[in-house]
Amino acid sequence: MLQNLITYIGNGTIVTVGVTLVALPMGMVLGLTFGLLYIYGGKWLSRLMTAYSTLMRGVPQIVLLFILYFIIAGSINISPFWAGSIALGVISSAYQMEIFRGALLSVGGGQMMAARAVGLSRWRAIRYIVLPQALRLAIPPWSNEASIVLKDSSLVYALGVPEILRRAQQLSATSQQPFLAFGTAAVIYFILVFTTNRLLDYLEQRTRLPAQL
Amino acid sequence: MDEPILKAQGLTKKYGENVVFKDIDLAVQQGDIIVIIGPSGTGKSTLLRCLNLLTKADGGKIWLDGEEITAPGHNEDEVRQHIGMVFQNFLLFNHLTALDNVMLGLTKVKHLPREQALEKALSELKRVGLADRAGHYPGQLSGGQQQRVAIARALAMDPRVMLFDEPTSALDPELIGEVLEVMRQLALQKMTMLVVTHEMGFAREVANRIIFMEKGSIIEEGTPDELFLRPKFERTREFLWKITELYGHKHETTQPTEDL
């Protein structure tokens, strides 16, 4: 019984990790692009990005998920897994945009000016000088966003994707053991989030710049 | 006279209604060491930034080696390679070692092969006396050392002219000397330099021309002796008196007089 339960929810873990591995990098690519457009894209793109971020962050994720799901699933023929993961990625892009925007701003205009003074073009200054510093600064808040996306991947439960939470719910109903079912789900989520955060902490330490000896 | 390395005519900069400087004419000849002095907020730093196109001027023209660099469509990145710039707050690239700071322009702008860039960068670090700090990150260097690396970074590009924007103003007093010493060495090597500074001792000793700027205009310019000993304008005399009093060397300047 217990064996079955763990195997069943365990299979959901693969789905949860899969959703996260689609949503998080997608949110990162979009979020970083939007953050760069916000800072370096000029007045109108900057306003557009602000509007995007404000709108996306002002609506509950589950509402956005349904809207995006029906847009995506309505226009192309893909499975709920992919539609849900992409929708979560789009939602996360607004939050990640704020993370990268903050990190880019923290690097400061002086670095850009010094890079241009050496003769680097704007794009190359961003690539070689600003981004390497901004990405370092972004790791701690990004670690936070990673754990949020991991946990919020449970939202695709509402689309019928058989991830951890959905399977726990099913088991709870059939086995009449809600505590055991949801308890197992909670433990798995915790292990996933904990491991992710520790890995990112390690990355932060490894990339930290040496200061005063 | 030869073609000036850097020439500006009628240079004007304003932010909205606020005029930073107006109708500035300037010619920097090969080997010139020009020191720009004046009260803060008179547009000296902005002038330097306009000269290497980091800030767009609102009026006037600039020529580098006879070529108008303010002409529409002129490649700004190409221009900046030939004009070295040293900032008040150093602005080293924080994520790179001293060596990589100096090498970056060589590999990413001049596209030198790595070994050649490395050799050049090391020799520039040696020139500012920091070859032993090549592997240090900016966070591991003192302010004076950071500024010397910044000078090496600019020198590595073999610029036609070096612009210094208050290079010692952010330094602790005991660190100013090492930076000024590097600049003196550059002067001896006939590097063409345009320096904004409050270091009057340096100005007197090293400059061949001093420009006194106030409220966005050039009030007076001349040799150090002309400005320090025989200033034409009372305002120049007052400023020099105040600033030399502040920094010592009072005896070198004539006291401003009421009856002039």
Side-chain angles (χ1 to χ4, degrees):
Chain A
M1 166 63 209
L2 189 68
Q3 185 73 43
N4 285 345
L5 180 141
I6 291 174
T7 319
Y8 188 65
I9 297 187
N11 284 337
T13 309
I14 298 169
V15 180
T16 292
V17 171
V19 170
T20 309
L21 284 181
V22 174
L24 207 50
M26 186 176 156
M28 182 173 174
V29 171
L30 289 178
L32 184 57
T33 309
F34 295 162
L36 286 169
L37 288 177
Y38 176 91
I39 306 231
Y40 301 110
K43 198 170 79 177
W44 288 104
L45 273 174
S46 171
R47 283 182 184 175
L48 187 69
M49 290 305 125
T50 307
Y52 174 80
S53 158
T54 310
L55 200 68
M56 296 290 282
R57 291 182 303 129
V59 178
Q61 305 208 10
I62 188 79
V63 178
L64 273 178
L65 183 68
F66 279 127
I67 294 174
L68 289 168
Y69 173 71
F70 286 115
I71 292 174
I72 297 168
S75 43
I76 43 173
N77 185 21
I78 52 171
S79 66
F81 169 85
W82 283 101
S85 303
I86 291 170
L88 281 181
V90 172
I91 295 168
S92 176
S93 75
Y95 295 87
Q96 295 199 43
M97 170 191 148
E98 293 299 326
I99 290 172
F100 292 119
R101 185 176 74 93
L104 288 165
L105 285 174
S106 310
V107 172
Q111 292 285 314
M112 175 57 105
M113 188 162 61
R116 298 304 301 276
V118 174
L120 286 173
S121 68
R122 198 171 154 83
W123 165 240
R124 289 165 77 81
I126 292 173
R127 181 171 154 204
Y128 293 115
I129 304 303
V130 181
L131 265 186
Q133 297 182 58
L135 290 180
R136 281 180 170 88
L137 293 172
I139 295 174
W142 197 84
S143 174
N144 189 41
E145 173 66 12
S147 60
I148 289 173
V149 171
L150 239 176
K151 288 180 285 179
D152 285 356
S153 69
S154 58
L155 291 175
V156 297
Y157 151 83
L159 308 176
V161 179
E163 42 70 74
I164 297 172
L165 181 63
R166 185 167 182 86
R167 287 172 185 244
Q169 163 81 56
Q170 285 166 348
L171 273 180
S172 159
T174 53
S175 69
Q176 301 295 318
Q177 299 224 40
F179 185 76
L180 186 64
F182 289 115
T184 309
V187 169
I188 296 175
Y189 276 119
F190 179 79
I191 292 171
L192 289 176
V193 169
F194 185 82
T195 313
T196 306
N197 286 348
R198 290 296 80 75
L199 283 174
L200 286 165
D201 284 352
Y202 177 70
L203 181 68
E204 195 216 345
Q205 269 172 25
R206 283 299 301 271
T207 55
R208 187 175 291 165
L209 296 169
Q212 214 64 253
L213 284 175
Chain B
M1 208 186 278
D2 289 343
E3 177 89 60
I5 289 183
L6 194 62
K7 190 173 87 166
Q9 229 167 50
L11 213 56
T12 299
K13 177 72 191 173
K14 36 191 175 182
Y15 289 113
E17 290 291 290
N18 179 24
V19 178
V20 184
F21 53 78
K22 211 182 150 193
D23 283 331
I24 300 284
D25 295 333
L26 189 76
V28 184
Q29 303 288 343
Q30 173 87 47
D32 262 355
I33 294 161
I34 300 176
V35 169
I36 304 178
I37 58 172
S40 31
T42 44
K44 302 176 308 262
S45 296
T46 313
L47 176 63
L48 286 194
R49 279 174 205 183
C50 280
L51 287 176
N52 74 346
L53 310 178
L54 283 174
T55 300
K56 201 173 161 13
D58 295 301
K61 292 176 174 179
I62 306 166
W63 291 264
L64 179 69
D65 283 320
E67 202 177 333
E68 196 201 326
I69 58 176
T70 39
H74 199 92
N75 185 349
E76 294 177 13
D77 301 326
E78 156 72 19
V79 169
R80 293 196 198 96
Q81 288 182 42
H82 305 294
I83 304 179
M85 178 104 180
V86 174
F87 300 91
Q88 182 177 347
N89 44 353
F90 331 135
L91 296 181
L92 287 184
F93 306 133
N94 293 315
H95 63 304
L96 299 177
T97 60
L99 183 67
D100 284 332
N101 263 278
V102 183
M103 273 179 72
L104 188 101
L106 298 171
T107 53
K108 301 289 186 250
V109 178
K110 288 198 160 180
H111 303 288
L112 289 186
R114 214 191 131 71
E115 299 76 45
Q116 216 175 317
L118 186 75
E119 198 179 318
K120 172 82 173 154
L122 275 173
S123 82
E124 295 300 344
L125 280 177
K126 209 168 167 183
R127 196 166 165 190
V128 298
L130 286 173
D132 58 332
R133 293 285 187 276
H136 284 54
Y137 283 86
Q140 299 170 304
L141 298 170
S142 72
Q145 291 171 334
Q146 288 191 51
Q147 192 61 298
R148 282 148 69 198
V149 173
I151 293 173
R153 175 175 72 182
L155 286 175
M157 301 299 285
D158 290 325
R160 297 283 291 138
V161 51
M162 288 277 285
L163 310 180
F164 291 86
D165 183 9
E166 301 202 28
T168 57
S169 295
L171 291 173
D172 291 337
E174 75 268 24
L175 301 176
I176 291 176
E178 60 188 77
V179 172
L180 290 182
E181 185 50 39
V182 166
M183 292 169 69
R184 274 193 198 95
Q185 291 302 320
L186 288 182
L188 289 176
Q189 293 157 16
K190 299 289 171 228
M191 171 60 75
T192 309
M193 294 154 74
L194 192 54
V195 185
V196 171
T197 186
H198 294 297
E199 294 294 329
M200 291 303 137
F202 176 83
R204 277 212 72 168
E205 179 194 341
V206 179
N208 66 330
R209 201 143 59 90
I210 296 182
I211 294 175
F212 174 56
M213 247 179 106
E214 190 179 49
K215 292 184 186 137
S217 306
I218 292 177
I219 305 289
E220 184 168 354
E221 59 178 298
T223 64
D225 278 355
E226 280 169 355
L227 256 82
F228 278 89
L229 303 176
R230 301 177 292 279
K232 289 194 204 80
F233 296 94
E234 183 58 23
R235 189 60 203 107
T236 314
R237 189 191 300 264
E238 260 173 47
F239 175 77
L240 284 171
W241 174 254
K242 270 187 201 148
I243 201 143
T244 40
E245 190 180 44
L246 186 68
Y247 286 82
H249 322 293
K250 203 186 288 185
H251 57 281
E252 293 179 0
T253 328
T254 49
Q255 198 166 355
T257 46
E258 297 300 324
D259 55 21
L260 222 141

